[in-house]
Amino acid sequence: MSVKIVTAPFDPQDELQQYQKQLRPGCFGAMTSFVGTLRDFNNDSTVLSMQLEHYPGMTEKQLDAIAKMAKTQWQLEATLLVHRVGKIRIGEPIVLTVAWATHRDAAFAGCRYLIDKLKTDAPFWKKEQLNNGTRWVSNNT
Amino acid sequence: MTVTVKFFARLREDMNIENMSLDIPVPTDARSVWAAATGRKMPEYDIFCAINQAHAHLDHMVNDGDEVAFFPQITGG
């Protein structure tokens, strides 16, 4: 189980592979990952970049709790959560969630839980840079 | 008692407060901490609260030394 808050661009595939190397070969039979990236539009506006703020300390606690709950609920072998903060450019990854499990059902469900719960419980806030100023994102769709 | 109060994101900008140490009489809840810290009504958008870095309701009681945070809707991921 690993939780990382990163301030610089990250490569989701590299993060996934590096973590998976630490797992015992054969201890899982399925892996599901989700990557969220910054798109260049939102609510009919062109987005130029995004500032991502968080609550240091509480963020890590919430992500740890989410990972533990997922692991227990679906008997996951391992989980990985990586979330970017700071200034994010178009196309860059924002978040990576990965679940390793014995079978695919648990891997899919666990990964889905990780990202869905992160979006409601982990204290992150997005502020978009638009052509005509900045705008706080007000919902977590 | 003394509590630490923090504001995040849009709320930090709208209230123009990032963090502060606040002396406040006991007993008190998070809503009263808001009133003492800002001296203002809550904005029309939804406000959420955490006490000691755990999600809490605004009517949750606050103790000496607690860290009370106020923030708008979470929007990560």
Side-chain angles (χ1 to χ4, degrees):
Chain A
M1 196 177 86
S2 177
V3 166
K4 292 172 72 173
I5 309 296
V6 294
T7 56
F10 70 96
D11 180 342
Q13 294 304 319
D14 186 53
E15 292 285 346
L16 193 160
Q17 292 299 329
Q18 290 301 319
Y19 188 75
Q20 189 168 285
K21 281 181 187 173
Q22 303 171 38
L23 303 179
R24 180 177 60 81
C27 76
F28 63 93
M31 180 275 292
T32 299
S33 65
F34 170 83
V35 177
T37 57
L38 181 57
R39 61 182 185 272
D40 63 2
F41 63 94
N42 191 27
N43 292 333
D44 299 327
S45 296
T46 297
V47 176
L48 303 177
S49 65
M50 178 179 281
Q51 190 72 28
L52 226 148
E53 179 178 333
H54 78 123
Y55 182 175
M58 181 172 172
T59 307
E60 292 83 351
K61 287 182 183 178
Q62 292 296 314
L63 294 180
D64 280 342
I66 292 165
K68 283 176 183 163
M69 181 62 77
K71 191 170 184 183
T72 300
Q73 191 160 343
W74 286 281
Q75 292 89 46
L76 303 177
E77 287 297 326
T79 62
L80 172 61
L81 285 167
V82 182
H83 205 294
R84 180 82 185 278
V85 295
K87 184 175 181 180
I88 303 175
R89 292 179 169 76
I90 299 302
E92 288 181 348
I94 300 171
V95 63
L96 165 68
T97 66
V98 192
W100 287 268
T102 305
H103 299 290
R104 68 184 185 283
D105 282 350
F108 276 118
C111 184
R112 178 72 191 241
Y113 176 87
L114 290 173
I115 184 61
D116 285 354
K117 196 69 172 164
L118 180 154
K119 289 181 84 73
T120 59
D121 286 12
F124 293 101
W125 300 276
K126 292 172 176 169
K127 190 178 191 182
E128 298 168 332
Q129 178 69 52
L130 310 176
N131 282 315
N132 57 352
T134 59
R135 176 177 67 187
W136 286 101
V137 175
S138 59
N139 55 40
N140 61 351
T141 53
Chain B
M1 68 173 179
T2 304
V3 297
T4 300
V5 189
K6 295 186 173 187
F7 297 82
F8 288 94
R10 179 183 176 185
L11 201 52
R12 182 191 64 251
E13 293 182 350
D14 288 350
M15 295 298 118
N16 198 28
I17 309 171
E18 183 165 355
N19 59 70
M20 64 190 297
S21 181
L22 183 71
D23 291 320
I24 189 167
V26 288
T28 195
D29 60 10
R31 193 183 304 276
S32 300
V33 170
W34 166 280
T38 68
R40 297 164 64 173
K41 287 183 179 177
M42 290 192 173
E44 292 188 358
Y45 53 88
D46 290 337
I47 301 300
F48 298 86
C49 171
I51 299 177
N52 297 330
Q53 304 185 349
H55 292 287
H57 292 291
L58 289 167
D59 57 4
H60 198 104
M61 299 308 289
V62 175
N63 298 306
D64 185 38
D66 281 353
E67 178 175 294
V68 184
F70 298 100
F71 44 84
Q73 172 71 55
I74 284 170
T75 56

